[in-house]
Amino acid sequence: MEDTFGKIIGALAVLAAVVFDWPHALAGAIYGFFVRRATFGYPLLALVAGVVVIAGLGELIYPLIGRTAAAIWGSFTLGIISSGATAYGLFRYLFSMFDS
C-alpha cells in the first residue's frame, strides 16, 4: 500500500507540473529518463544539477520566444519545481514499477 501511494503522489505531481509549465516539465521528464538509464555513480546529484540547469535555460529562452517578458525569480522557481517534479517523478516513481 505504501508503494502504491507513492506512485500515485508521483503521478499527480507530474500531472500538475505538466499542466502549470509544460516546457520545463517536458525537459525534466526527458532528462529524468536519461539519468535513470545512465550508469554513473551519483544519479541524484546529476538529477538536481540538471533540474537547475533546465530551469535556468528556460529563463534565458522564455523571453526570446515571448513566453515571459523577462527572467524573473518566480518563473525560475516554477521551472525548478515543474522540471524537478517530472524528472524525479519519472526517475523514482514511474519507473519503479518496472524495477520489481
Side-chain angles (χ1 to χ4, degrees):
M1 180 69 179
E2 214 172 276
D3 190 41
T4 304
F5 182 70
K7 289 177 185 174
I8 291 171
I9 295 298
L12 289 175
V14 168
L15 182 64
V18 168
V19 167
F20 287 114
D21 190 11
W22 69 267
H24 279 125
L26 180 63
I30 292 169
Y31 185 71
F33 176 78
F34 285 118
V35 168
R36 177 74 177 138
R37 297 297 175 202
T39 58
F40 47 89
Y42 300 103
L44 288 179
L45 291 176
L47 195 68
V48 169
V51 163
V52 172
V53 168
I54 288 170
L57 286 175
E59 283 309 298
L60 294 176
I61 294 172
Y62 276 5
L64 297 176
I65 62 173
R67 187 164 167 101
T68 59
I72 54 174
W73 281 108
S75 179
F76 178 72
T77 304
L78 183 64
I80 286 179
I81 292 169
S82 64
S83 62
T86 56
Y88 188 74
L90 195 64
F91 179 81
R92 176 71 178 107
Y93 296 119
L94 298 180
F95 276 100
S96 69
M97 65 182 77
F98 297 118
D99 288 341
S100 51

